[in-house]
């Protein structure tokens, strides 16, 4: 399992996923926040050190690309959340959302239907 990301690193990784591969400048253009270029560049370098991105040089610019797909990242992230916050139980995770009124009976029925269909 890779090192956990900070919120800023996760936002930067989502910007990378939004375009697939690119430069720090391109990632910055996809982000909502008014983040200084140098801050994002530093965050991107941290993501590379943590093994989430790799880079190649093109002229005097670095092009970054994720080392795992967005789906693989989400799977890893959710596994960590379930393990760390819900005693490794997806049932506890669903129960939490039901208790917080974030999941309706209709949505639960849809989830059950998806499970029964094997999706």
């Amino acid at each position: 399992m890779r090192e956990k990301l900070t919120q800023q690193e996760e936002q930067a990784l989502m910007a990378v996923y939004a375009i697939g591969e690119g430069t720090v400048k391109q990632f910055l253009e996809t982000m909502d926040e008014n983040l200084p270029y140098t801050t994002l560049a530093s965050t991107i370098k941290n993501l590379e050190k943590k093994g989430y991105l790799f880079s190649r040089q093109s002229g005097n610019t670095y092009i970054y690309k994720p080392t795992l797909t967005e789906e693989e990242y989400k799977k890893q992230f959710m596994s960590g959340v379930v393990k760390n916050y819900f005693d490794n139980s997806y049932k506890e995770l669903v129960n939490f959302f039901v208790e917080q009124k974030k999941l309706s009976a209709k949505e639960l029925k849809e989830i059950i239907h998806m499970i029964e269909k094997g999706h």
Side-chain angles (χ1 to χ4, degrees):
M1 184 119 145
R2 297 166 203 260
E3 196 176 330
K4 191 174 187 297
L5 299 182
T6 65
Q7 185 176 357
Q8 187 170 317
E9 289 168 340
E10 189 170 270
Q11 288 172 334
L13 185 59
M14 292 302 121
V16 174
Y17 284 134
I19 62 172
E21 81 173 325
T23 64
V24 173
K25 184 177 185 290
Q26 290 171 311
F27 303 142
L28 192 60
E29 290 168 0
T30 70
M31 298 178 79
D32 293 334
E33 295 102 54
N34 253 347
L35 203 61
Y37 177 91
T38 53
T39 302
L40 182 58
S42 174
T43 303
I44 293 291
K45 278 289 179 201
N46 286 343
L47 287 169
E48 186 177 24
K49 285 180 199 157
K50 289 182 176 184
Y52 287 92
L53 301 177
F54 67 88
S55 65
R56 62 183 166 79
Q57 198 165 358
S58 176
N60 60 357
T61 304
Y62 283 94
I63 308 221
Y64 296 91
K65 188 173 182 173
T67 58
L68 67 166
T69 67
E70 186 173 4
E71 187 167 314
E72 290 168 331
Y73 173 73
K74 288 176 180 177
K75 183 177 177 182
Q76 176 185 304
F77 176 81
M78 282 308 299
S79 293
V81 167
V82 172
K83 181 181 175 200
N84 296 329
Y85 297 101
F86 297 99
D87 200 27
N88 220 19
S89 167
Y90 282 89
K91 181 181 170 192
E92 290 298 319
L93 172 78
V94 171
N95 188 52
F96 171 80
F97 287 117
V98 170
E99 286 177 355
Q100 298 297 311
K101 307 225 184 316
K102 304 285 184 197
L103 199 56
S104 70
K106 181 179 183 244
E107 290 169 319
L108 274 174
K109 286 176 187 167
E110 289 173 9
I111 291 169
I112 290 167
H113 182 70
M114 287 173 18
I115 292 169
E116 289 172 346
K117 282 178 57 180
H119 289 96

